[in-house]
Each structure stands twice: as C-alpha cells, then as structure tokens.
Amino acid sequence: MSTRRGFIKSTGALALFAAGLGGVPSFIARAANSNKILSPYKKNKKLVCIFQRGAMDGLMAVTPFTDEYLKAARPTLFMSAAKVSSSNPLIDLDGRFGLHPSMKAFEPLFREKRLGIVHAVGSPNNTRSHFDAQDYMESGTPFNKGTNTGWLNRAVGLLGHEAATPFQAVSITSSLPKSFYGDNASLAINNLQDFAIQMRGNPMAAHMAAKSFEDLYDQTSSSLLNKTGKESFEAVKMLQKADTKNYKPANGAVYPDNQIGNSLKQIAQLIKMDVGLEVAFTECGGWDTHYNQGTETGQFSRNVADLSNAITAFWTDLAAYQDEVTLMTMTEFGRTVKQNGTGGTDHGRGSCLFVLGNDVNGGIVHGNMPILAKENLEDGRDVPVTTDFRSVFSEVADKHLSINDDKVLFPEWDGKKIGVMRGY
Amino acid sequence: MKRYVQTIFLLFLLIGSAPILSSYMGAENGHVESKSIKFPYRQAGLTDRQAAAHILGRFTYGATPGQIDEVLKIGLEKWFEKQLDANQPDDSLNANLAQYEALSKDNKEIFNTYLDGGQIRRKAIKAGLIPQDSSGRIEYKERKEMIDSFMKANGYKPEGELIRQLINQKILRAAYSNNQLQEVMASFWYNHFNVSLTKNESIRFVPCYERDVIRANSLGKFGDLLLATAKSPAMLTYLDNFRSVASDNNNVNSEAGAKRLRELYAQQLRLGKLGDTSVLAKEIANKIKGFKNSQGLNENYAREIMELHTLGVDGGYTQTDVTNAAKVLTGWTIFPMNEEYGGTQIKKMIEKVGEDKLKEQGYVHDGDFMFAVNKHDKTEKVVLGNTFSAKGGYEEGLKLIDMLAHHKSTAHFICKKLAARFVSDNPPASLVDRMAQTFLDKDGDIRKVLLTMVNSPEFWSKQALREKIKSPFELTISTVRALNAKVTQPYQLANWINKMGERIYYYQAPTGFPDRAQYWINSGSLLNRMNFGLALASKRIPGVTFDLTALNNNHEPESAEAALRVYCKLLMPERNVEETVKRLIPLINDPEIHNKIDAAATKSDVSAATPPPASMTDDNMMMTTSNTDSKKTKEVLKEKLNRKKAPDYTITQLQANAGTNTMLSQVTGIIIGSPEFQRR
C-alpha cells in the first residue's frame, strides 16, 4: 500500500489549489525532486489488453479446417477454406488453420508477421463458469480464489519505476476490471471527455466545487474513497490540458463506431498525448453464443468483424508508435467442439488469442492443437488447454515491458514460455 | 482472570441468544412477531438515534427528513416488524404509478401489445398493409405514418415505451414506497435472479417477472421464490431453458436428419424433380429450419441455477451434475402467448386431445408456464448423488429445485449474500453461519433470516457502521429522499444512474451487479457522483424539484457557514460531520471566491440559452428501440446529441428556481458528492 505513488501526500490544500489554478501540478513538482520517476515525455513501452467477455469460440475464429472430426461435430457451424464451397471461405493461414472471413483485416498483419495467434490456450483450472474463469484469468492465479489483485496491477508494480502520471494504467471501461485491482494506481475512464467536474455555464463555481471535493476526499476515513479521489483529481488536471474532443486519427484510420472501436480510439489518444500510459485495458462482450451463432454472417461474424476492424484501425492510427505498443486479446475459455442443439456452442475449455506488435513472433499459429477426435478432447468434449494462458501473458510482459519477476506476476507458475515473442 | 471468563460467558450468552430468541417468533398468519426482541445496539455503544439512523440506512433507500423520529416513536423493533410485513398503505405512490398502464397488465397482454420495430413491420407486412419490399418505393415519412396508424388501429405500442415505464416505476417505488424493505429486497432478489434487458427475447416478460415473481416472493420462502423464477418466462428465455429439449431423443437424430434431408433435397433438385415452390421443397426447408433452431439440450440455466441462484460456485457440483440437471429440466418452457412460436399447433393439440388427457400424459400448464413432456429427457439422471427416475416428468424438476433450495451450500451462499448486502462487503463468518442455521431450520424463511441478522451483534458493530458504499441507484434515491424531492421525470435520474455506472435492468451477465464498494468506486464513476450532486442541487436535472429552505423549516441560513452546518446535519443525520464542515469553511468563507463565482455567473447570463428538452430526447430515444444493432446506433446518436447540448440553465434561472442563493445549492451539491454521503 505504502509503495503506491505518494506524490500527493505531502502537498497541502494550498499547493493543490495552486495547481488547479494553473500552477505547477504536484506530480511534476515531485517528479523534479525524484530520480526514480521517469519523465512523462520519455518513450515507454505500452501493453494494451482486450478482454473478450463471454468466451469466444476459438474454433470458429481460427478454424483447424482440415480436421474431419470438427467438421462432423459441427454440421451447420463448420466453415471451409475451399473457395468452391462458399463465396466467402475461411482465410487459409498455413494449410491447417483458417481465419474467419470477417477477420480479413487481420490477414495483412499476419502475413507481415506482426500478428501472432496462440491456439488451444486457456486456464489450467477446468471451471466452465464465466465468472470464475474471468476472475482467474484476470487475477492470474487460476487456483486461488482469494487473490485480490489483478495481474496487470502487479505488472504495473513491477515496471521498476513509480508512476510519473495518473495515466500509467488506464482501463477504458465504466468500472475497474479485476485485472487492475490492487495497490498500484489505476484509472477507469469510460469517456475521456466527461472526465471533469462540470457546472455548465459557471466554470468558477465548478472550480470551487472541485476544490471542495478534492479536500473532502483527501480527509475521508474510507481508504477506497480517499485513494480513488486522489487519482481522479490528478487525472482531471492532466486531461484539461489536452484537446480530447477534436481527435483525428492518423493515416486515414477509421475506427468502427461501436464499443471496442471507441475504446481503442481513446487508448490511441492517450498514447499520443504522451501522458505516461504503460498498461491499457478494455473489453468487449457478446461472445457467449449458445444460440444461433451463425457462420459467415450472424452474431459471431459481426463480433469478430468489430474486433478485428477496431484493432486494425488502432494499429494504423498508431503507425508512428508501433515499436512501443503490443496488443493482446484474451477470453476466459473456449466453446464445445460439438455444436449444441440450438445452433450454438456451450462452455468449453481451450480457445485462441491474438498478439500484435513489432516484437511479436508473428505469422504463426502457436500452441498445440490436437486432432479433435473424442479421445483427444478434455472430458471428451472440449479443446484441451495445451498452453497455459500465463505462459503467453508472462512472455509478453517479459519481452515487451521487461518484467521478468514471474514469481510476483504469476505466483505458483513454472515460468514456461512458448516463443510467441521474438527472442525466445 | 475470573472477570475475563465472566465477560466471555456474557458474550457467549449474548451471541448465542439471538437464534434462540428468533426461534420464538411465530409466523402465524404470515406475520413475524418480534415482541420479545430488543435489538442489541446498546451493547455496541449506539444511542437510539444512531441505531435508528443505521437501520434506516440499511433497510430503506435512505432516511427522509424526520424519519429517524418516526422510527423512534414506534420503536426500532416494531418498525422492522412492520417492514417485514410489508403491508403499509401506499396510496399516493399507487396513484402516481397509475400513469403507467403496462404495470397492471399480464405477460400475455404485454407480449401482444409492446412490440419492437421488426415485429411491428412483420405484422404490418403480414396484414398486407405494407408491401414486403417497400424500402425503395415508399417514402420514409409515408411509411412511418402507415406504421403508426397500423399500430394505433391494432393497439400496438413500441417496446421502448414498456422499458421506460419499467425503469420509471422502479425509481418511483424506491423513492416513495412506504414498504421500503420490500423494495430493497425486491431489488436484491432481482439482482440475484438477474434477467437482463440486453436479451431481446426476455424484455417483454420483465415487468411481470419483477412484480409477480420477485416482489411478490421477496419476503417469503426462498424455495417458493426459486421455483417461481424457474417457471417464469423471463428466466426461461434469459437462460435459454425454454428451448432446451432432450438431446438423446432429438438432437443427434436431428442433426443427422437435417443433413440427410439437405442431401435429399439437393439430389432431387439436381435431378430436376423439384421446383423451388413444390410442396416437398417447402416441407424440407421448414424441417431443416426447425432442426436448426429449436432442438437440443442447453445447459445454460442448469449451470446458473446451481452456480448463481443456489449452491454457489464452490457449492460442490460437477460438470456431470450440470448436464444431468439440464436433462431434468428439459421440457420446462413457456405456454405460447399467441399463435406465433408454435402457438397455433399447441392450441390445436389442446383442442384435439383435451387438457385433461394431456395432463394424464404428463403435460403441465400453469399460467405462463408449460411442461412439454414430449421434449423431456426420459432417461434416468443423477444430480448431486440423487437419482431422478426415468419417468419422473415434471416432478423431477420440482424435486431438483426443492433439493437445491434446501441445500446446505445454498443456505450459506444466500445468507452470505444477504449479509454482504446489509452488513458489510466481507461479512463475518459467525454472522453468516448463524443466518444459515436459521435458513435451514426455518425452511428458507427470508424474514426469519433477516431477523436473525438484525438480532446479531455483528449487524451493529463498529466495523459495520457506514461501511457500505451506496450503489449509484442508492445514491440517487437517497438524495431524492433526503431532499424530499418530487420526481416527475424519473427517466432523467435513470440517465444519471447509468452514467455513474449502474445501468439498471441491463446488467448483461446472470451474476447481477457485484455488491462491492470496489466495483462501484473508480475514478470515472466517482467524478460522476460529484457531478450528479452538483447538477441535482442546482436544479439542472429536469423533472426533479425540491425546496431547500422548506427542509430547514423555511429558515434561510444566515451565512454560508451556517448553511453548511445546517444542511450537513439535515442530509446526513447522526453522522459526525465536524471534519467535513471544518474542511469546507475556509473555502466557502473566502470572499474572493464568492466574488469570482458571482462574476462568472453574471457573465454567463449573456450566453443564456433555453434549456434543451433533454427529457424529450431521451424518452423519444427509448420509444423506438428495436434490435441490438439499431440500439447501438441509437446509443451513439444519443451520445452525440448529449454532446451538442447547450448550457442547461443560466445561474440567474438557477437562483430563481432554487428560490435561494447559489451558495446554498452549491453547498448542497458538495454535500451530496462528498465522501460521507456515499456511505450508508
């Protein structure tokens, strides 16, 4: 707790007031006195994580299309890579795996070897409960329910320097995700523009109110309210300096006008604002396709189109920053090999994830996907988890953020890596 | 040493007495008596007033002005007993709610009245009113007029209107019901048995679900509540059980069958034996469609009833138990609401065979619920070590639900959740165990469990006081209650609740909203809480009116400092507000700040703009929601509209509205947004 950034602790109400009126913000003042703090303007590496809540069907996103068992198990959901069978077949990645046609935006990134895929990845804990599996994946401790910190929060603590700004770890969500729970400061922002004390028509009154709130939250006995209040006001002050309203993506990038598109756009804004962002998180839903999953069109197809188009726009927008950024998707588990009776799939085990970045060992479908004969399946029904999600997460954190203390990041973890990043 | 032992003994007596006392309370005529009870708050060092404030903070949506005195007058125990009985008259609330016509309708009426855009279009096309493909040929305006008159002629209404009424009534009930505990419990159970409006198929069943299933059983026996949810169209659709049918009879065959049919169809087509319009072709196409859409086992509900509704995720069940429970519940479905979804066939079958005959065969028709024996899995199943015979039919499901309702894990899981709601985010194990024992001893009687809780020292302990953080809904309603505000446009408050992070009725996952401070409090939502306080106090939320001076018996405070003291006490009774006052006094006494605010206020008069009809915008938006995609578009539209809004009110208007000075509303806004007011 006490290791959390303390730049606000020593400053009294007067100093804060001055900061609010346009004086030197407290974090800058403190930064000047501390050599432990990175300059907010130095180029940091950034990790962006997207949680696909609801459990994505990895077998439909990246299909082992030569597998006859899969074909038999999914009479109406199986898709082929052969052009003859469909006008819109799977995109053949390597002769064995095919990318869903609605993710065609990913194909160039894969061919350029910037996009890597890990298949049959998941948690060693075989729970098929969304809520448990998400909890485990976000805490990074698949067998310990009591963990009250998230792996990304621990990652922030392991970066080796104190936060220079309140934007070191930002989640573009309406509430703080479990991944960010913990002692290191993190922010949840749904919309950058709304992030201020607002009194329409009377900025002075708003200012006075902001000042009052800041004082009150500074003295409250509730540590949660106290801590969150401090983080909020620091962030407000920084955002005031940036023109978030009139953001124009670079290189003609067009973000889809939906949740994931808007979230990634805001992360791109923060990256370009140089406000010290190092770990970003956002999420998207709709993956729990028990019913009428669809194939080339339909629910699943729309979801993967939204996701891949948003990520591709993000990457294009950040052309000048690509060396600094790695993006990774995750989902709590996969779905049954066999389709269910209602044109969908039920909760399963292994799924796939995507990693994008210039230090990614891309153009490869990593991991070990067995032939989907019943005897190879977990409990006779699901894609077995052959790659522990921690081996991917820890490798990405290690190679991209130079975090190599796996004992803290993922306690009780053996540290095995699979080479999804270059240099392993 | 001796003294120490004595203390321990006393403590033991004190703690041990709670369940014993509660077991004396009879439940004759559905009334829980608590005559002999004295809640153990004195022992915790609380005064009567403090105890009344605490109990109001936990079992109501916030104290109204003077309510502490009301509680003290009849006594805490008696007040609580009356709340458990939930039969306080609510005439003025009911009169107010009469404006919402959907609230008195049943599922069938709602189902056949409130339709989304797509359903209305399909009906209009079917009625021959608008041509199938009219998009290019008919002007939008003309088309809209046709649809409007079609709706009027048939009494159809937009589904968005239903949702608006649902949301509005929840806000009004919470704010004004005299049966506050019932409302709090209804909200608790709704969240526990969550059904989300994000699921299109469930939307039209939610109003009756909340009214007849949740609220009606919210202070009854847990087993009754569980069974009522299991049989409700809302839950049956939300967790897919309505379409879950025996897989061994149908599923495997159906997939293979569909494939065979497809092949046959293709072959016949190739041979030129079949025109697209031939009867056989249509029949095959229909069969394939039918196979694809409706046949097979779906485990969704079976998993959640164990994981979320009863045992808890660590309650000791396996994947096999889930699959087998799903089999037990096959055939539990909805009785058709009209001729759609196979309604005609079922009606014909009932006419042909007769209800009595069908009953003999094992069919059950109970209100909106139907047990379709032909869809039921007729194999023997084992769930949690209990065998369900192959021929059990509907009774198997009843047995399963009864077993789950009375399971030890369930007692613990439910009581822990209740204690987390009413005591603290991490309730003491001793308290949960005691409540769970009552749950098991008293057949899951929710009122007795609550009594055991309030009778426990843990409920009154220092660790519990002010420990809960209000959810955005609770913050909003407690503000309305504390200010004695009149709400004429509840939807305006819903927009703020949404902004603060609680989109009521729309929590997508079956878990419901987490009941934890950490979930509600983050930097974004916290700022919105403060902004809510400022907006409400300065009367910038349309449709919410109140009189600040009336709260203080029409005395206008003489100074800003006096205002601060008086309104802190009024809005946060029995709280220690000294620190808050001390912190704020230098600020509000600073003449320079006053001048600056006034100057800014005068300046902004120039840019006076008429307040935008925000209410209209939002309500209209709600009126036309149809499918998910257009919902998304509307969200975006709505956001864009919000951004374009001109300044709401000028300060002069604001002062005129408030009937008092800016400083008073400013002070009030700061109190509402203050950390102390976030706690309960």
Side-chain angles (χ1 to χ4, degrees):
Chain A
M1 191 68 205
S2 57
T3 59
R4 225 174 51 77
R5 73 199 160 88
F7 53 76
I8 207 163
K9 275 184 197 135
S10 56
T11 53
L14 266 172
L16 282 170
F17 197 24
L21 286 174
V24 182
S26 57
F27 60 86
I28 302 278
R30 195 181 140 87
N33 294 328
S34 167
N35 50 12
K36 269 174 84 189
I37 293 178
L38 280 179
S39 152
Y41 307 107
K42 192 187 155 189
K43 300 261 180 272
N44 291 324
K45 296 275 189 176
K46 290 116 185 144
L47 173 62
V48 179
C49 294
I50 301 174
F51 208 114
Q52 300 171 261
R53 300 202 187 273
M56 178 184 69
D57 184 11
L59 289 173
M60 186 173 263
V62 179
T63 307
F65 60 83
T66 56
D67 193 320
E68 287 301 319
Y69 292 97
L70 181 63
K71 195 174 173 182
R74 296 185 163 198
T76 63
L77 292 186
F78 182 80
M79 298 167 72
S80 159
K83 287 225 164 42
V84 285
S85 70
S86 158
S87 57
N88 203 8
L90 295 173
I91 299 158
D92 186 347
L93 293 177
D94 57 3
R96 184 180 176 206
F97 291 100
L99 192 64
H100 192 284
S102 294
M103 296 177 109
K104 58 178 179 289
F106 271 176
E107 189 185 358
L109 297 173
F110 186 85
R111 305 285 182 218
E112 288 164 16
K113 303 193 188 307
R114 294 162 192 258
L115 179 74
I117 298 169
V118 185
H119 223 319
V121 67
S123 167
N125 186 314
N126 71 357
T127 178
R128 289 174 180 84
S129 147
H130 291 296
F131 322 106
D132 266 13
Q134 288 180 18
D135 249 33
Y136 288 141
M137 192 167 272
E138 296 200 70
S139 70
T141 58
F143 293 102
N144 186 356
K145 258 203 151 163
T147 312
N148 51 15
T149 58
W151 79 278
L152 285 175
N153 193 288
R154 295 195 299 275
V156 169
L158 294 168
L159 285 170
H161 51 262
E162 275 191 63
T165 77
F167 292 97
Q168 187 179 33
V170 176
S171 177
I172 305 290
T173 47
S174 53
S175 61
L176 201 68
K178 176 88 185 245
S179 302
F180 273 13
Y181 281 18
D183 291 342
N184 297 293
S186 56
L187 276 180
I189 306 180
N190 205 20
N191 186 345
L192 294 182
Q193 287 172 43
D194 291 345
F195 211 76
I197 291 293
Q198 294 155 337
M199 290 275 281
R200 289 203 191 97
N202 193 345
M204 261 321 287
H207 183 79
M208 186 258 185
K211 183 70 210 77
S212 309
F213 284 135
E214 198 167 342
D215 263 12
L216 289 175
Y217 279 85
D218 185 49
Q219 60 90 22
T220 180
S221 63
S222 156
S223 63
L224 177 68
L225 291 172
N226 178 275
K227 172 184 143 191
T228 314
K230 282 177 184 176
E231 286 162 11
S232 305
F233 285 105
E234 285 298 314
V236 164
K237 285 169 195 165
M238 292 201 74
L239 279 180
Q240 273 168 358
K241 295 183 169 57
D243 183 13
T244 51
K245 217 174 273 177
N246 301 308
Y247 179 71
K248 296 229 168 21
N251 306 312
V254 180
Y255 289 92
D257 196 359
N258 54 35
Q259 189 204 355
I260 186 68
N262 290 329
S263 301
L264 287 178
K265 182 157 76 182
Q266 300 194 60
I267 293 173
Q269 278 179 268
L270 289 172
I271 290 174
K272 291 189 195 173
M273 276 163 60
D274 271 338
V275 286
L277 180 74
E278 294 179 80
V279 176
F281 180 95
T282 191
E283 61 194 20
C284 56
W287 302 99
D288 197 14
T289 48
H290 284 281
Y291 174 65
N292 268 5
Q293 184 166 327
T295 50
E296 292 158 35
T297 58
Q299 239 187 109
F300 185 85
S301 160
R302 276 197 301 277
N303 287 341
V304 286
D306 283 352
L307 179 70
S308 57
N309 291 335
I311 291 174
T312 311
F314 175 76
W315 195 244
T316 308
D317 188 11
L318 288 179
Y321 298 79
Q322 285 172 357
D323 282 343
E324 297 158 36
V325 179
T326 292
L327 178 146
M328 174 166 69
T329 66
M330 58 196 71
T331 191
E332 64 265 32
F333 43 70
R335 311 194 69 85
T336 47
V337 171
K338 199 162 166 295
Q339 74 181 70
N340 67 14
T342 54
T345 46
D346 290 322
H347 300 183
R349 295 284 291 117
S351 188
C352 70
L353 62 76
F354 300 92
V355 194
L356 172 65
N358 285 353
D359 34 0
V360 170
N361 191 8
I364 298 172
V365 180
H366 298 267
N368 173 18
M369 170 71 77
I371 299 299
L372 298 170
K374 194 170 178 186
E375 62 270 23
N376 291 336
L377 302 184
E378 192 164 325
D379 299 329
R381 54 178 256 166
D382 297 325
V383 173
V385 171
T386 50
T387 298
D388 190 308
F389 71 88
R390 291 172 294 183
S391 64
V392 181
F393 291 11
S394 65
E395 188 176 329
V396 169
D398 184 353
K399 287 305 286 182
H400 190 67
L401 297 176
S402 310
I403 292 170
N404 42 31
D405 192 344
D406 283 352
K407 285 280 162 288
V408 175
L409 195 58
F410 295 111
E412 298 159 24
W413 163 239
D414 63 14
K416 195 180 150 207
K417 320 258 186 212
I418 62 157
V420 69
M421 300 297 279
R422 285 215 216 108
Y424 273 106
Chain B
M1 183 64 194
K2 196 176 169 195
R3 195 184 177 132
Y4 174 71
V5 171
Q6 265 177 353
T7 319
I8 294 283
F9 183 61
L10 264 174
L11 260 171
F12 176 74
L13 266 183
L14 206 69
I15 295 166
S17 63
I20 299 167
L21 279 172
S22 67
S23 68
Y24 277 114
M25 287 175 273
E28 264 67 60
N29 310 322
H31 173 79
V32 177
E33 289 199 32
S34 57
K35 269 179 208 147
S36 50
I37 302 286
K38 186 80 191 152
F39 294 152
Y41 57 84
R42 288 256 169 80
Q43 295 87 325
L46 299 187
T47 66
D48 290 350
R49 292 196 75 82
Q50 287 168 335
H54 181 54
I55 207 169
L56 283 168
R58 296 301 161 97
F59 295 111
T60 73
Y61 278 109
T64 53
Q67 203 178 7
I68 289 179
D69 294 305
E70 285 168 35
V71 171
L72 289 175
K73 206 169 146 195
I74 59 171
L76 269 72
E77 293 77 9
K78 186 79 187 162
W79 177 84
F80 191 68
E81 183 188 315
K82 285 180 170 210
Q83 287 296 312
L84 287 178
D85 288 344
N87 53 12
Q88 301 295 301
D90 258 331
D91 300 339
S92 67
L93 170 67
N94 292 335
N96 191 0
L97 292 176
Q99 63 178 307
Y100 303 122
E101 53 180 16
L103 302 184
S104 55
K105 289 183 169 23
D106 62 26
N107 270 327
K108 199 173 164 182
E109 288 172 292
I110 290 176
F111 192 87
N112 290 311
T113 304
Y114 296 92
L115 308 176
D116 70 32
Q119 289 163 331
I120 290 167
R121 213 162 33 247
R122 279 193 293 280
K123 279 193 191 294
I125 290 169
K126 211 175 160 191
L129 198 90
I130 54 172
Q132 178 91 43
D133 178 30
S134 60
S135 49
R137 280 176 285 149
I138 305 179
E139 286 292 313
Y140 171 78
K141 206 181 144 197
E142 193 187 336
R143 188 187 164 87
K144 193 176 174 294
E145 276 166 13
M146 282 165 90
I147 296 225
D148 284 352
S149 63
F150 173 72
M151 287 175 70
K152 214 169 177 184
N154 289 280
Y156 295 140
K157 289 180 177 146
E159 197 175 62
E161 171 60 18
L162 180 71
I163 296 173
R164 192 182 63 86
Q165 294 191 16
L166 176 72
I167 289 171
N168 286 352
Q169 64 92 33
K170 181 175 166 89
I171 290 172
L172 292 178
R173 280 182 197 280
Y176 302 121
S177 174
N178 291 319
N179 296 296
Q180 282 282 304
L181 177 57
Q182 188 182 39
E183 285 311 309
V184 169
M185 287 304 291
S187 186
F188 172 83
W189 290 122
Y190 189 97
N191 198 51
H192 181 77
F193 293 107
N194 186 37
V195 171
S196 170
L197 293 184
T198 54
K199 183 111 170 183
N200 283 340
E201 286 148 311
S202 305
I203 293 173
R204 284 176 286 173
F205 299 129
V206 166
C208 295
Y209 177 67
E210 188 188 57
R211 183 190 66 200
D212 303 336
V213 174
I214 300 293
R215 186 176 295 106
N217 289 297
S218 60
L219 287 162
K221 299 260 173 82
F222 178 76
D224 297 339
L225 176 61
L226 180 66
L227 180 60
T229 58
K231 290 169 75 171
S232 68
M235 188 60 82
L236 286 165
T237 48
Y238 179 53
L239 292 178
D240 301 320
N241 202 71
F242 80 111
R243 57 164 71 97
S244 176
V245 305
S247 58
D248 46 352
N249 320 351
N250 294 301
N251 190 25
V252 178
N253 293 336
S254 79
E255 280 166 12
K259 205 173 164 195
R260 252 201 325 278
L261 277 171
R262 255 199 312 278
E263 281 163 8
L264 176 72
Y265 180 52
Q267 188 192 9
Q268 300 280 318
L269 262 183
R270 268 201 304 279
L271 294 172
K273 285 182 181 173
L274 217 58
D276 257 354
T277 49
S278 79
V279 180
L280 180 60
K282 269 190 181 162
E283 203 171 299
I284 290 173
N286 278 339
K287 272 197 175 143
I288 292 174
K289 217 171 136 192
F291 283 135
K292 252 173 85 177
N293 286 340
S294 63
Q295 310 290 302
L297 191 72
N298 189 308
E299 293 176 355
N300 205 7
Y301 178 63
R303 180 185 310 282
E304 305 309 9
I305 194 178
M306 292 198 257
E307 176 182 330
L308 300 176
H309 298 168
T310 61
L311 307 175
V313 70
D314 302 318
Y317 61 90
T318 63
Q319 174 59 42
T320 314
D321 288 322
V322 170
T323 305
N324 287 345
K327 288 178 180 172
V328 165
L329 292 168
T330 44
W332 283 52
T333 189
I334 304 167
F335 191 81
M337 300 279 153
N338 58 23
E339 70 284 355
E340 291 162 33
Y341 306 109
T344 316
Q345 287 96 303
I346 287 178
K347 210 181 262 172
K348 271 187 192 156
M349 182 178 75
I350 291 172
E351 276 167 18
K352 205 168 129 194
V353 186
E355 283 237 27
D356 289 346
K357 267 267 161 54
L358 285 172
K359 256 186 217 161
E360 274 170 37
Q361 291 171 14
Y363 276 89
V364 175
H365 174 196
D366 176 9
D368 301 324
F369 170 80
M370 177 171 74
F371 175 69
V373 71
N374 59 329
K375 310 279 185 192
H376 184 67
D377 184 300
K378 295 175 189 69
T379 59
E380 189 181 277
K381 313 109 191 154
V382 177
V383 183
L384 298 166
N386 290 273
T387 305
F388 293 76
S389 76
K391 290 178 189 154
Y394 174 61
E395 299 296 322
E396 293 171 35
L398 292 183
K399 178 177 154 186
L400 173 72
I401 285 168
D402 188 65
M403 182 179 101
L404 291 174
H406 294 89
H407 199 279
K408 219 176 153 183
S409 298
T410 304
H412 197 266
F413 181 64
I414 297 293
C415 291
K416 187 164 181 193
K417 227 172 151 176
L418 280 166
R421 174 71 180 73
F422 292 108
V423 183
S424 63
D425 287 4
N426 294 303
S430 56
L431 174 68
V432 176
D433 290 346
R434 201 175 311 124
M435 289 165 68
Q437 197 54 52
T438 303
F439 187 101
L440 291 171
D441 292 346
K442 300 292 170 191
D443 189 24
D445 188 324
I446 296 157
R447 291 178 304 175
K448 295 204 172 139
V449 172
L450 291 178
L451 260 177
T452 299
M453 180 176 76
V454 189
N455 264 321
S456 296
E458 292 93 335
F459 178 82
W460 304 98
S461 74
K462 285 266 182 303
Q463 289 77 34
L465 294 180
R466 297 157 63 235
E467 185 52 32
K468 288 294 290 185
I469 298 286
K470 294 172 184 171
S471 74
F473 184 78
E474 288 164 353
L475 170 67
T476 305
I477 305 297
S478 68
T479 308
V480 168
R481 287 174 65 81
L483 294 174
N484 246 344
K486 189 173 176 220
V487 179
T488 49
Q489 293 178 49
Y491 209 84
Q492 294 293 336
L493 291 175
N495 287 340
W496 271 101
I497 295 166
N498 186 4
K499 225 172 145 180
M500 291 186 278
E502 186 177 7
R503 196 172 177 206
I504 52 173
Y505 294 113
Y506 279 94
Y507 193 86
Q508 195 177 1
T511 45
F513 292 101
D515 189 3
R516 274 195 320 268
Q518 220 168 4
Y519 178 78
W520 298 120
I521 298 299
N522 58 69
S523 21
S525 71
L526 196 58
L527 282 173
N528 281 328
R529 282 172 184 246
M530 299 175 209
N531 283 327
F532 164 73
L534 296 174
L536 187 111
S538 58
K539 308 224 164 166
R540 281 184 291 122
I541 303 181
V544 183
T545 50
F546 53 88
D547 184 346
L548 286 177
T549 37
L551 276 186
N552 191 30
N553 294 321
N554 292 315
H555 291 307
E556 202 159 322
E558 281 157 20
S559 64
E561 186 178 332
L564 183 62
R565 285 190 188 283
V566 167
Y567 284 86
C568 268
K569 282 240 176 314
L570 280 171
L571 297 176
M572 302 188 288
E574 298 307 312
R575 295 281 178 91
N576 183 358
V577 295
E578 254 331 290
E579 189 64 23
T580 302
V581 171
K582 211 170 82 194
R583 283 280 177 149
L584 289 180
I585 277 177
L587 264 173
I588 62 170
N589 278 344
D590 183 339
E592 205 163 319
I593 290 182
H594 275 277
N595 294 341
K596 278 178 185 166
I597 289 178
D598 287 347
T602 331
K603 227 193 248 169
S604 70
D605 275 354
V606 187
S607 62
T610 44
S615 58
M616 292 299 295
T617 318
D618 291 325
D619 284 355
N620 285 346
M621 283 305 168
M622 287 305 298
M623 302 276 280
T624 45
T625 46
S626 51
N627 55 40
T628 333
D629 281 342
S630 74
K631 259 181 202 158
K632 259 190 207 160
T633 332
K634 254 153 227 147
E635 290 279 330
V636 174
L637 247 174
K638 204 161 134 186
E639 237 182 74
K640 282 182 183 155
L641 271 170
N642 282 338
R643 272 181 217 152
K644 274 188 200 146
K645 258 183 225 163
D648 268 351
Y649 285 90
T650 63
I651 295 295
T652 349
Q653 275 173 308
L654 191 151
Q655 283 174 330
N657 285 342
T660 177
N661 58 53
T662 320
M663 190 49 88
L664 183 52
S665 58
Q666 177 100 354
V667 163
T668 307
I670 291 168
I671 294 171
I672 297 167
S674 73
E676 192 59 34
F677 197 74
Q678 311 310 306
R679 310 168 83 167
R680 63 174 175 90

